[in-house]
Structures are given as C-alpha cells and as structure tokens.
Amino acid sequence: MDAEAEPELAKGRGGDALKLRERAYESIIEKLIARDFSPGEFVSQRQLVARTGLPLGAIREIIPRLESEGLLVTVPQRGIQIAHVDLNLIREAFQFRLFLEKEAIGVFTAQASDAAIAALRAEHEAMLALALSRTLTKDEEAEAQAIDWRLHDMFIDALGNSIISMAYRVNSVKLRLIHQERYRIDGRVVPVMREHLQVIAAIESRDPARATQAIADHIDNARRLALTV
C-alpha cells in the first residue's frame, strides 16, 4: 500500500467513527424527546444498541458525554439510568432556562422583524381558536407542543451564539423529560397559547423590559406547575 494513502484511510476511518458517535448521540436525544425512554428507566448498553440500531462501540463512546450533560447516569450493578425527574432537576433546569431566555427575549424584541412577530401571533391565535372550538386530536396537541417549543427556540436563536444554543438544547431535553413526567400540554393548550400570546404582546411593544418580565412570568408559571403536580 502507498505510504501516503495510509493517513488518508486512517482519516476516513476516524471520520466514520465520529459520524457514528454523532448519530448515536442524536438518536438517543431524539428518543428521549419522543418519550421512547421514560425518566428514571434503567437500560443496558445492549438495549441502547437495539433501540438505536447503532454499533456498541459508538454507544459506549457517547455515554460519558450524555452523563456529563446530566441526561444519563451509570449506576453500579443496575445499568444506565435515564435522568430521573426530581425536585432538584426541576429547579435547576428552570433556573437555567430563565437566565438564558430573559437575555434572549430582550434581543429578540429589539431585533425581530415585524413579519416574524406577526407570524408568531397568527399561529398562536389559530391554535387557540381551534382548541376553543373543540377537543383537539393527539396530532393537533403535538402540533401545539411544537408551537410552544418553537417560540422559545426562536428567542435563543436570536442571540446567534452556538455555545448558548448547544447548552440550551441539552437543558431543553431535561425540560421535555420534566414535561413527560410532571405535566404535558395535553388538555392545556388553551392556557399555554394564552400565556404565549401575552408574551407576544409584550414583544410587539418593542419594550425589552416588558418582554423580559412577560417571559419570566411565563417560565415561573411552568416551574410552579412542575413543582406542584
């Protein structure tokens, strides 16, 4: 074999391994969000392989990353435990969310286009009207949940900071685990859409201080619900 070709082959193998690790990570994150794993559930590495369809080596390599992010924990003699929803997780996840979104919504309020804000209002008003008119289907409730998360993601995206976006994404997975365990949007679409419309009204005022207070009130309401359910 040509000596110059060997580094290229090694580079290729390394790139493939990196892609597998990222696919394994993304697969587990997606399954956490999709409720394929339950908070507090114990799984083995082999079960993770079976559920993701990815190699054992890739799964083993991403477990430390998921542990460092607080999404998994290895328990001796028992296996790997999906993050357990407890009061400490709820307090920390909501506090982290509050710090980031208060800063982000101020930037969004100052910089977002009128068209973007109008689009947010339109989709929220449409979903609210639908929820007031009849009982929503599961698919419609899922769309309401997507509208919910999309609004908050837009605030963070307004910061244009990839480090913050990555940290926020990890925290969002924890918040979604909390939602699964403690409270879900099922049956709560009307109050959620109404709270969001209050936030949107504050954004429309183009007053960052008012918008910051609105998002703080909204997040505090969600935190209180998670702590009391």
Side-chain angles (χ1 to χ4, degrees), residues 127-142 144 185-190:
M127 180 55 70
L128 176 60
L130 184 63
L132 287 170
S133 69
R134 60 172 172 78
T135 300
L136 298 180
T137 66
K138 290 297 181 183
D139 286 344
E140 288 165 344
E141 287 183 327
I185 203 168
D186 307 16
R188 297 183 55 255
V189 172
V190 169

Side-chain angles (χ1 to χ4, degrees), residues 23-39 41 47-54 59 82 169 173 176-177 180:
R23 282 176 56 196
Y25 178 82
E26 293 296 333
S27 178
I28 290 177
I29 293 295
E30 288 171 4
K31 292 183 182 302
L32 286 171
I33 293 172
R35 307 173 186 168
D36 291 343
F37 295 113
S38 301
E41 177 185 358
Q47 286 174 318
L48 292 176
V49 168
R51 294 197 197 185
T52 62
L54 293 165
I59 295 296
I82 306 301
R169 185 185 180 215
V173 176
R176 294 181 198 202
L177 290 174
Q180 294 170 28

Side-chain angles (χ1 to χ4, degrees), residues 146-190:
I147 290 171
D148 181 354
W149 289 114
R150 191 155 57 239
L151 177 77
H152 295 280
D153 289 343
M154 286 183 70
F155 299 155
I156 297 300
D157 290 342
L159 294 172
N161 187 309
S162 61
I163 295 175
I164 291 175
S165 293
M166 289 174 64
Y168 182 83
R169 185 185 180 215
V170 171
N171 197 60
S172 288
V173 176
K174 296 175 184 177
L175 287 166
R176 294 181 198 202
L177 290 174
I178 293 168
H179 276 236
Q180 294 170 28
E181 183 77 6
R182 289 278 174 151
Y183 68 103
R184 290 160 59 177
I185 203 168
D186 307 16
R188 297 183 55 255
V189 172
V190 169

